[in-house]
Amino acid sequence: MTDALRRPPVVTRITDLIGRTPLFELARADNGARLLLKLEMYNPTGSAKIRMARQMVLDAEERGDLRSGGHIVESTSGNTGLGLAVVAAERGYRFTAVVDNHAAVDKLRGMRAMGTQLVHVVEDGCEELNTAAREELAEALARGKDNTFFTEQHNNPSNAVGYYDVGREIAQALDNNVDVFIGAVGTGGGLCGTARELRKHVPGVAVVGVEPKGSIAFGPPAHDYYQSGTGTPEGATLGLLVDFDLIDEGVKVGDVEAFATARVVARRTGLLIGGSAGGVVHEALARLPKLPPEAVMVAFVNDGGEKYLDTVFNDDWMNARALVDTAVEADIDEALAKLRRN
């Protein structure tokens, strides 16, 4: 194992444990094409987004936008907030997260445990995604305040920079043998930041972006969706980090298919992945049998499923929202069973 992929034996900060996450072979087609998952739940906070949370804060410090004792403000569905909560705790900042009830409850609890102030934009019981309202309030909370920084993840270039290491890690681990990179499109930082760096090492890699049905990055129609932490809902502005020049193809996956995939993967492999990651894996599994012989596809798995035990992996919650389709789950189970036997 090279130094770049080896975790240090002893660290003094939790953020020193960021990165060097493993690749897991989920499936293999008859012709030897492989689907590998980049398991970002092995970062602190169980998500890739701590990578960009750290980068946004470090760059703000370098510019002088944050100084000792400062205040960080962000609008978040949860994972970015968890990352910023860690960084704020380490570096002695106050952190205010503007949230709605679309976020998984465990993410909100985790932020609060680390000393984060939570500000809700909607009343309890409302599950609608309120990205635009969150952004407006977060900006207002930071406006004109001394030593207060609105990280503004959707339009902060440091977001994408925080993922450059993912591209380097994938290229190094696979000796630049990567044919397809597929991942979710939310702020655009994770997919496009990784792809930008990966293409420096593997110029020909194809990049596929996945968003929920109802999200508008790849066009209408717009409607509500339950996949959290991803997509661009109606009324929200598409982030500046979504670089269509880096994305060869954009596709949409519905909540039913995304969540069914996450549930099937858990039962088949014992691996818990998040709901939006289920959408990415669903699309990847459909593409795998069509790839050339011995091709390698890497799917970016942003977070684990432990934060979704009350939602995606809860039958009562799923049934109450008509998100369970046993026929869809059976089809995915059959496909995955065959691909894992090869």
Side-chain angles (χ1 to χ4, degrees):
M1 183 181 290
T2 63
D3 288 341
L5 298 179
R6 184 183 295 113
R7 287 189 184 276
V10 178
V11 301
T12 57
R13 288 182 169 178
I14 291 299
T15 53
D16 292 337
L17 296 170
I18 294 172
R20 299 165 293 270
T21 55
L23 288 163
F24 169 69
E25 183 178 301
L26 177 66
R28 186 185 291 255
D30 290 336
N31 65 0
R34 296 189 295 159
L35 170 58
L36 309 180
L37 308 185
K38 180 66 167 164
L39 298 182
E40 288 292 291
M41 69 277 279
Y42 286 93
N43 284 303
T45 73
S47 168
K49 291 191 176 183
I50 194 171
R51 293 180 184 260
M52 62 89 153
R54 176 179 61 176
Q55 193 68 45
M56 291 192 298
V57 172
L58 292 178
D59 289 350
E61 290 176 343
E62 187 172 345
R63 293 190 304 267
D65 292 332
L66 266 177
R67 305 180 302 280
S68 178
H71 184 193
I72 300 167
V73 180
E74 180 55 279
S75 158
T76 175
S77 291
N79 279 329
T80 299
L82 284 168
L84 286 169
V86 171
V87 178
E90 282 187 343
R91 306 181 81 81
Y93 298 122
R94 289 191 300 126
F95 173 43
T96 298
V98 181
V99 300
D100 53 33
N101 294 317
H102 197 258
V105 173
D106 281 352
K107 294 179 185 179
L108 303 181
R109 290 171 179 159
M111 283 187 276
R112 189 179 290 114
M114 287 183 275
T116 301
Q117 177 193 22
L118 300 182
V119 177
H120 286 78
V121 295
V122 294
E123 298 297 326
D124 287 345
C126 175
E127 293 186 337
E128 290 183 8
L129 185 58
N130 285 274
T131 303
R134 289 196 332 244
E135 294 284 317
E136 291 173 7
L137 180 54
E139 184 178 10
L141 289 174
R143 189 184 302 123
K145 304 286 181 59
D146 181 55
N147 200 15
T148 299
F149 181 60
F150 174 30
T151 44
E152 199 178 1
Q153 60 175 311
H154 285 84
N155 297 309
N156 189 330
S158 299
N159 176 340
V161 174
Y163 292 103
Y164 286 0
D165 277 349
V166 182
R168 287 188 282 266
E169 289 171 22
I170 292 170
Q172 187 171 13
L174 298 173
D175 294 325
N176 298 334
N177 180 28
V178 188
D179 299 283
V180 181
F181 176 65
I182 183 169
V185 177
T187 66
L191 181 75
C192 297
T194 301
R196 185 177 301 280
E197 184 64 27
L198 185 57
R199 280 209 169 132
K200 291 180 182 179
H201 304 273
V202 191
V205 65
V207 177
V208 180
V210 180
E211 69 173 346
K213 288 182 178 178
S215 174
I216 61 172
F218 301 128
H223 56 74
D224 292 341
Y225 56 86
Y226 286 100
Q227 294 173 64
S228 66
T230 189
T232 305
E234 187 174 23
T237 302
L238 186 65
L240 298 177
L241 305 176
V242 180
D243 187 344
F244 291 105
D245 290 337
L246 284 170
I247 303 172
D248 296 297
E249 188 177 356
V251 299
K252 297 173 182 281
V253 176
D255 290 336
V256 169
E257 291 77 13
F259 296 167
T261 303
R263 289 158 66 97
V264 169
V265 168
R267 291 197 296 263
R268 277 277 165 193
T269 70
L271 176 68
L272 290 172
I273 63 175
S276 63
V280 173
V281 174
H282 183 271
E283 181 65 24
L285 288 171
R287 290 169 178 265
L288 184 61
K290 306 170 189 175
L291 292 181
E294 308 301 325
V296 176
M297 175 165 47
V298 176
F300 189 71
V301 173
N302 177 71
D303 68 353
E306 291 84 355
K307 299 165 188 170
Y308 309 95
L309 297 178
D310 291 330
T311 55
V312 175
F313 298 100
N314 182 314
D315 289 348
D316 292 338
W317 186 92
M318 291 281 289
N319 282 314
R321 291 155 184 80
L323 293 172
V324 175
D325 188 321
T326 55
V328 170
E329 287 198 20
D331 288 344
I332 297 168
D333 187 72
E334 182 179 356
L336 184 55
K338 180 180 183 300
L339 290 167
R340 283 187 64 79
R341 283 197 300 267
N342 290 327

